[in-house]
Amino acid sequence: MSAEKVTLDLNASIQKHISMLKPMFPQRAIISIGDYSSQILLKSADINENEELLKFFVQKTKQGKSKSKKTTKENNETIGIDEKADTHYWFNVQKYIAEHDAIVEKLKSKPIDELYGAIMVASLWEGVGSALLPDLTARFQEGNVNSVAFAIVPSHLQPADAQFNTLWSMAKCMTNGLTQILIEREALENYVGVDRKGSVLKGNRVLNYVIELALEKEEFNQEFLELSKSFNLKMFTALVATGASLKIYGSFKNILDSTLIRPFIQFDMSTATMLYVLVRAPRHLKEKLSQSQIEFWVEEWFNEKTSLKSVHVSEPIYVEDLSDRIDLILFVGGFDLAEMVESADKKAKEIKVYAEKNGYIKEKEWQDLIKVLTD
């Protein structure tokens, strides 16, 4: 072998080694804010073992357990708030963060500017979730990161403090320009369905299933937000059908009908104005379930219920699967929030008065926030 050949091989080997040493920053992030949402996401092996995602969990830490075993992997970290800290209301958390620069610096140290998309999941009745979701939204806005939030809102049975935290956070996020997908806690926990393998999918595990599908669609954030911004809509919810067999249901229309049985929040379909659709289907059904065919069925189905301004059916995700099971998510936006907001506002009145008396918020500011949600 010639000396020149040896030199070329050596140079190639060195270049390969250097490229392997070069740090690779994830292009997308999944962020959980609050104890409840973190307990859900930590159960997802698909999310936690995905090394192409930047993952962190903002929650209270228990003494001696600053990191969960499942969050010690690369790019997967818990940002802890002292368990002794008062985090009951959003204003308690704001005060805590103002006094603890370490948390803010830790958040700022993340390579957020390297990202092109982020999915946030927050339980808004918690002080941590309600306070930090607007803050992180502002941070992503500064970095021009396409961010979407799955906002878990309290059930109507939860007390006044939960409603107070939630209304404040929803309105602040909307003011900051965040697109939120609303999911009610009770509806989430009562979900019963099946996955693509036909196994039972029960309770809040379905949220992981939905998020995993959204992450599987690399263009999800970009497509969804382009539609959201075009019509200036910031509030959505999701209607889902998981593991739906065409043979069992008989038709795609019947699968669409089934999404109305388990809505993630109660809303008036006739007031909806926009729709974004995600579908995952077996590859052998690609011809039968083409993007254009699905769009036709969806538009025909919705025309019976409301007049939409826009329908976007994303190119389906086709997977190698011998079954006939389909996953379908309808992200519906533009519906009227007034009834939901007014009910929560009425329930939160006592806490609002307490916050006003103690200088945490002014009556005019609160009314302006409610108006943001109901206009």
Side-chain angles (χ1 to χ4, degrees):
M1 184 180 292
S2 68
E4 183 180 1
K5 172 67 172 171
V6 171
T7 302
L8 288 172
D9 287 347
L10 181 60
N11 286 339
S13 178
I14 291 171
Q15 290 297 326
K16 183 178 180 181
H17 182 65
I18 290 172
S19 67
M20 291 174 68
L21 291 175
K22 184 180 178 180
M24 298 293 291
F25 291 115
Q27 295 286 288
R28 296 184 294 168
I30 181 85
I31 300 105
S32 171
I33 313 167
D35 293 347
Y36 182 84
S37 57
S38 294
Q39 288 168 13
I40 296 173
L41 289 179
L42 286 170
K43 295 174 185 175
S44 171
D46 285 353
I47 292 173
N48 286 281
E49 294 175 7
N50 188 338
E51 296 300 334
E52 295 180 358
L53 289 174
L54 173 68
K55 302 171 285 286
F56 58 95
F57 300 78
V58 186
Q59 61 187 108
K60 268 196 169 185
T61 56
K62 295 187 178 179
Q63 210 164 17
K65 296 182 181 179
S66 60
K67 286 186 181 181
S68 164
K69 290 180 181 179
K70 292 186 179 181
T71 59
T72 57
K73 298 180 184 200
E74 185 181 0
N75 299 327
N76 202 359
E77 186 176 0
T78 294
I79 297 177
I81 293 176
D82 194 315
E83 67 173 339
K84 295 179 181 178
D86 184 357
T87 58
H88 195 81
Y89 295 111
W90 54 265
F91 48 76
N92 297 139
V93 177
Q94 284 186 330
K95 181 180 178 183
Y96 177 85
I97 291 172
E99 295 171 352
H100 294 78
D101 293 339
I103 289 181
V104 177
E105 292 305 314
K106 203 167 189 180
L107 288 170
K108 286 182 178 179
S109 71
K110 300 297 178 184
I112 287 174
D113 293 337
E114 303 287 336
L115 300 171
Y116 71 76
I119 290 177
M120 296 181 282
V121 188
S123 29
L124 297 190
W125 63 87
E126 298 178 33
V128 173
S130 59
L132 286 178
L133 183 59
D135 278 3
L136 278 175
T137 297
R139 175 77 176 100
F140 283 130
Q141 292 281 3
E142 290 172 8
N144 293 316
V145 178
N146 290 326
S147 57
V148 176
F150 286 85
I152 311 173
V153 300
S155 75
H156 67 282
L157 296 174
Q158 286 182 252
D161 52 358
Q163 312 299 334
F164 174 75
N165 278 342
T166 299
L167 289 175
W168 182 86
S169 187
M170 283 171 58
K172 280 291 185 180
C173 288
M174 183 176 274
T175 302
N176 288 347
L178 178 67
T179 299
Q180 302 170 71
I181 300 163
L182 305 180
I183 298 176
E184 192 213 28
R185 179 180 182 177
E186 186 176 1
L188 187 62
E189 293 178 351
N190 289 338
Y191 184 88
V192 179
V194 294
D195 61 18
R196 281 168 51 207
K197 297 179 181 178
S199 300
V200 175
L201 184 63
K202 192 174 182 180
N204 58 29
R205 283 178 51 214
V206 71
L207 181 58
N208 283 336
Y209 199 82
V210 169
I211 292 172
E212 287 161 12
L213 179 51
L215 288 169
E216 196 169 340
K217 185 71 180 179
E218 290 189 6
E219 303 86 358
F220 170 71
N221 281 49
Q222 181 180 345
E223 289 183 351
F224 190 38
L225 290 176
E226 280 179 4
L227 206 59
S228 169
K229 290 174 182 176
S230 295
F231 293 90
N232 194 29
L233 296 177
K234 300 301 178 187
M235 291 295 186
F236 291 77
T237 190
L239 299 172
V240 304
T242 59
S245 165
L246 272 175
K247 183 178 179 180
I248 293 173
Y249 280 88
S251 69
F252 195 85
K253 180 181 181 299
N254 289 340
I255 293 176
L256 287 166
D257 286 338
S258 74
T259 65
L260 298 175
I261 299 172
R262 299 175 290 265
F264 279 150
I265 65 167
Q266 295 296 326
F267 68 101
D268 184 354
M269 178 76 84
S270 68
T271 64
T273 58
M274 200 184 80
L275 182 67
Y276 176 83
V277 183
L278 274 185
V279 177
R280 179 166 54 193
R283 193 177 301 280
H284 67 86
L285 295 176
K286 185 173 182 178
E287 187 174 338
K288 184 176 183 179
L289 296 174
S290 66
Q291 183 179 13
S292 60
Q293 183 60 67
I294 293 171
E295 187 170 6
F296 172 77
W297 284 329
V298 169
E299 288 179 349
E300 184 180 51
W301 185 74
F302 261 93
N303 281 338
E304 300 171 2
K305 298 164 179 60
T306 186
S307 177
L308 296 173
K309 292 180 180 177
S310 179
V311 175
H312 180 82
V313 176
S314 185
E315 176 66 30
I317 301 166
Y318 297 108
V319 293
E320 298 301 335
D321 191 341
L322 297 178
S323 77
D324 66 345
R325 294 187 179 275
I326 299 165
D327 294 319
L328 170 68
I329 309 177
L330 307 173
F331 292 99
V332 186
F335 49 85
D336 189 358
L337 280 171
E339 186 176 346
M340 171 186 164
V341 171
E342 287 167 7
S343 175
D345 186 29
K346 186 176 180 181
K347 198 167 187 177
K349 184 177 180 180
E350 185 179 339
I351 307 300
K352 182 197 69 174
V353 171
Y354 163 79
E356 288 173 3
K357 285 183 177 179
N358 288 274
Y360 296 118
I361 195 167
K362 295 178 180 178
E363 171 66 22
K364 175 67 166 58
E365 182 185 356
W366 181 262
Q367 292 307 320
D368 287 345
L369 291 175
I370 296 301
K371 187 177 181 183
V372 164
L373 293 174
T374 55
D375 273 354

